[in-house]
């Protein structure tokens, strides 16, 4: 197993192989693309017994979670295969010709979409299967007809290599060029920078920190020929618990929220980092129940020392803040951090940008508000987020309209029940939001629409029949 850093020559060779494979792969009959996605899913399933223990050794996420994540990865590979077979990867919109001069008359226009070419994909530390070598970004790029060069996350190098070897075996069995999937690895910024700068790379998909994502996004835009950068970065995922919901289900909601805050040791981009409650009896009872749930929780160890250091710094910042009260600071259990709950008021939250920063890990900040107007002010102060949850906004009232408008302005997904962790892979899914939750609010990194990131629209004017029949695939 080669776990050494990829050299500049190796990175160049990987991108060049992907560029050579791009036209071959894009021209394949669509059934071959689907067959590859299904073969990759089968290979992952078949290797479960070796991959899951390896992933557990490298990430400490636990075999239950990792088995579930492997199943999800298989599900999404097969789901993309079905989408490809249904024609989603080759959209076609036809405007027939109308005799006469514009604006009423026109030539026939057929809008199609073509694969972008080689995609650089940065694997996520917190999803060793579902957002790594064969994760959602790779599945959606392969479905769109694009080769992928994966930058393995240094948090699980052995697993990345093992999954890549399986995938290389599938490519060979299906007689596909090995450049369809390439792997580069290394810890340190040089490998990622070289990848984003490579002239053969046509777009980048990234999941990780705001700092890392921002640096690479700048790099993608500073190239002589800038390329699209699809970054999924930090998010604080506010949950607004309205009195109507707390009256009906307060204790159950507190239990669900505590579970969502500590899920995966808080290392999900959708973990709720802020909960907004009224400063009244119902709100106070809810916060007490939430605190009890968190005090009893036993999060597991974090993914790597860097994430743990970031978490420690985040909670220390809140502990020491004059306007913040510490409600729960559960003692750390060996390598695992304890769960944390803090509280502040709306005025302090709005005044201090530092209180609105993501603390990646099992921590949440309660913000108490007097009324709806203050709730809206709190939401207005928050930067773009992947999700906003509105509990108790089910009635068609002017107040709820205002809340929904505020939530939609802020987030890519608005929930009216349940918790934001657990992101379904479907056609309607939207996982992305305004900056800084993602670098491109119009795209999603989860669900079948993720393919659209790697397709570029082309309008064919008066195209020959053969080209339209082939959906633009020459
Ligand atoms: P990260 O530090 O952003 O790293 C992600 C990937 O990007 C790694 O492969 C990393 O390579 C590379 N990278 C980071 N900064 C770079 C730069 N300036 N230039 C070139 N490459 C760069 O994320 P992480 O290691 O997963 O976790 C660190 C923090 O990210 C967490 O504490 C958390 O705040 C956040 N995070 C967010 C999400 C999310 O879903 N939004 C997920 C995971 C983590 P090297 O490590 O090799 O340098």
């Amino acid at each position: 197993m080669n776990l050494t850093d990829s050299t500049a020559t190796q990175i160049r060779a990987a991108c060049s192989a992907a560029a050579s494979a791009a036209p071959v792969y894009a021209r394949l009959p669509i059934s071959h693309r689907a067959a590859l996605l299904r073969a990759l899913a089968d290979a992952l399933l078949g290797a479960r017994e070796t991959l899951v223990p390896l992933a557990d050794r490298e990430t400490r996420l636990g075999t239950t979670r990792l088995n579930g994540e492997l199943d999800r990865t298989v599900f999404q590979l097969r789901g993309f295969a079905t989408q490809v077979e249904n024609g989603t990867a080759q959209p076609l919109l036809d405007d027939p010709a109308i005799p006469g001069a514009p604006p009423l008359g026109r030539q026939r226009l057929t809008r199609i979409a073509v694969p972008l070419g080689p995609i650089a994909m940065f694997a996520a530390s917190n999803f060793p299967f579902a957002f790594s070598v064969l994760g959602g970004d790779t599945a959606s790029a392969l479905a769109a007809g694009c080769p992928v060069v994966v930058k393995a996350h240094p948090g699980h190098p052995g697993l990345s290599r093992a999954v890549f070897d399986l995938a290389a075996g599938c490519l060979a069995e299906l007689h596909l060029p090995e450049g369809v999937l390439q792997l580069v690895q290394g810890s340190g910024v040089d490998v990622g920078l070289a990848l984003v700068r490579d002239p053969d790379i046509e777009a980048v998909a990234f999941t990780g920190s705001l700092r890392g994502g921002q640096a690479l996004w700048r790099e993608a835009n500073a190239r002589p020929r800038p390329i699209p950068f699809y970054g999924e970065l930090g998010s604080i995922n506010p949950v607004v618990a309205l009195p109507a919901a707390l009256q009906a289900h307060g204790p159950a909601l507190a239990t669900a929220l505590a579970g969502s805050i500590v899920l995966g040791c808080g290392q999900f981009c959708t973990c709720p980092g802020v909960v907004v409650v009224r400063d009244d009896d119902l709100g106070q009872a809810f916060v007490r129940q939430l605190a009890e749930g968190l005090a009893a929780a036993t999060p597991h160890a974090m993914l790597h020392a860097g994430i743990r250091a970031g978490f420690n710094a985040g909670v220390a910042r809140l502990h020491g803040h004059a306007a913040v009260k510490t409600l729960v600071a559960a003692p750390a259990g060996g390598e695992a951090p304890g769960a944390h709950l803090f509280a502040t008021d709306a005025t302090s939250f709005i005044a201090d940008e530092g209180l609105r920063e993501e603390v990646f890990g099992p921590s949440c900040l309660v913000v108490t508000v007097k009324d709806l107007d203050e709730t809206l002010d709190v939401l207005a102060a928050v930067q773009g987020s992947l999700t906003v949850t509105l509990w108790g906004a089910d009635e068609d009232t002017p107040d709820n309209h205002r809340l929904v408008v505020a939530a939609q302005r802020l987030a890519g997904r608005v929930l009216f029940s349940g918790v934001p962790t657990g992101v379904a892979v479907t056609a309607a899914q939207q996982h992305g939001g305004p900056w800084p939750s993602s670098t491109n609010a119009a795209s999603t990194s989860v669900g079948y629409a993720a393919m659209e990131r790697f397709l570029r629209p082309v309008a064919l004017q008066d195209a020959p029949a053969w080209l339209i029949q082939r959906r633009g695939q020459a």
Side-chain angles (χ1 to χ4, degrees):
M1 194 186 307
N2 174 17
L3 300 184
T4 55
D5 288 8
S6 301
T7 62
T9 310
Q10 287 167 331
I11 298 167
R12 181 78 273 283
C15 297
S16 171
S20 301
V24 181
Y25 185 60
R27 286 192 81 240
L28 282 178
I30 211 75
S31 57
H32 292 216
R33 243 189 249 175
L36 171 63
L37 290 162
R38 290 193 200 285
L40 295 172
D42 293 346
L44 270 183
L45 263 187
R48 182 197 292 278
E49 298 308 323
T50 46
L51 294 180
V52 168
L54 175 54
D56 194 30
R57 278 199 297 282
E58 290 191 326
T59 65
R60 301 177 293 185
L61 286 173
T63 53
T64 307
R65 147 79 196 271
L66 289 164
N67 272 303
E69 196 184 316
L70 187 142
D71 288 336
R72 175 206 163 108
T73 310
V74 167
F75 175 87
Q76 73 193 0
L77 283 162
R78 289 179 175 163
F80 275 107
T82 305
Q83 293 293 311
V84 164
E85 285 159 347
N86 292 345
T88 317
Q90 294 181 310
L92 184 146
L93 188 65
D94 210 20
D95 277 338
I98 297 177
L104 287 182
R106 63 178 186 220
Q107 282 135 314
R108 181 181 186 185
L109 279 173
T110 308
R111 189 179 171 90
I112 54 142
V114 296
L116 286 183
I119 308 300
M121 198 286 272
F122 285 75
S125 58
N126 56 343
F127 282 101
F129 289 113
F131 274 89
S132 285
V133 178
L134 290 181
D137 286 327
T138 299
S140 53
L142 291 178
C146 300
V148 178
V149 183
V150 177
K151 155 71 167 75
H153 194 282
H156 43 83
L159 177 71
S160 303
R161 173 56 65 177
V163 172
F164 173 73
D165 287 346
L166 277 179
C170 294
L171 289 172
E173 243 169 65
L174 294 170
H175 306 292
L176 293 173
E178 59 183 26
V180 170
L181 189 69
Q182 291 283 302
L183 182 77
V184 298
Q185 55 191 134
S187 77
V189 299
D190 292 347
V191 174
L193 288 176
L195 188 56
V196 172
R197 287 175 185 157
D198 193 281
D200 279 330
I201 292 298
E202 296 292 343
V204 184
F206 173 94
T207 300
S209 65
L210 176 58
R211 212 170 65 172
Q214 223 168 347
L216 291 167
W217 172 75
R218 285 202 187 99
E219 209 59 43
N221 285 293
R223 289 168 42 123
R225 181 174 60 86
I227 51 173
F229 184 93
Y230 298 104
E232 201 255 88
L233 314 176
S235 185
I236 62 170
N237 304 299
V239 173
V240 180
L242 294 165
L246 297 188
Q247 182 74 53
H249 313 289
L253 291 174
T255 304
L257 186 58
S260 183
I261 292 166
V262 299
L263 192 71
C265 198
Q267 299 167 114
F268 286 112
C269 44
T270 49
C271 277
V274 165
V275 54
V276 185
V277 293
R278 296 282 163 91
D279 192 9
D280 59 15
D281 289 349
L282 269 175
Q284 284 158 14
F286 174 75
V287 172
R288 272 197 305 278
Q289 287 149 0
L290 177 61
E292 282 164 20
L294 287 175
T298 50
H300 55 68
M302 300 193 91
L303 285 160
H304 59 74
I307 288 190
R308 179 66 189 272
F311 178 70
N312 289 348
V315 293
R317 185 162 41 81
L318 292 172
H319 272 308
H321 197 291
V324 175
K325 214 166 127 186
T326 300
L327 302 181
V328 176
E335 289 192 357
H340 287 65
L341 186 66
F342 301 95
T344 192
D345 59 279
T347 310
S348 306
F349 183 78
I350 292 164
D352 186 347
E353 200 181 333
L355 295 181
R356 306 193 293 271
E357 274 173 29
E358 181 186 42
V359 178
F360 197 70
S363 172
C364 187
L365 177 63
V366 174
V367 181
T368 49
V369 292
K370 290 195 294 285
D371 51 24
L372 177 78
D373 283 340
E374 227 175 43
T375 305
L376 292 167
D377 290 344
V378 164
L379 290 180
V382 174
Q383 284 190 291
S385 188
L386 292 169
T387 71
V388 168
T389 302
L390 300 177
W391 285 338
D394 297 330
E395 301 298 321
D396 182 355
T397 65
D399 282 0
N400 288 342
H401 290 195
R402 293 174 70 197
L403 276 167
V404 169
V405 169
Q408 289 181 349
R409 183 198 63 80
L410 193 58
R413 179 161 58 107
V414 179
L415 294 82
F416 295 88
S417 76
V419 289
T421 42
V423 188
V425 182
T426 67
Q429 188 56 272
Q430 174 57 26
H431 189 67
W435 184 278
S437 65
S438 75
T439 56
N440 186 327
S443 70
T444 178
S445 65
V446 178
Y448 302 124
M451 239 188 293
E452 292 164 15
R453 295 174 298 171
F454 309 123
L455 291 167
R456 185 172 58 78
V458 173
L460 303 172
Q461 189 163 321
D462 287 337
W466 67 265
L467 187 56
I468 291 176
Q469 265 164 22
R470 292 175 58 88
R471 299 180 91 86
Q473 200 176 4

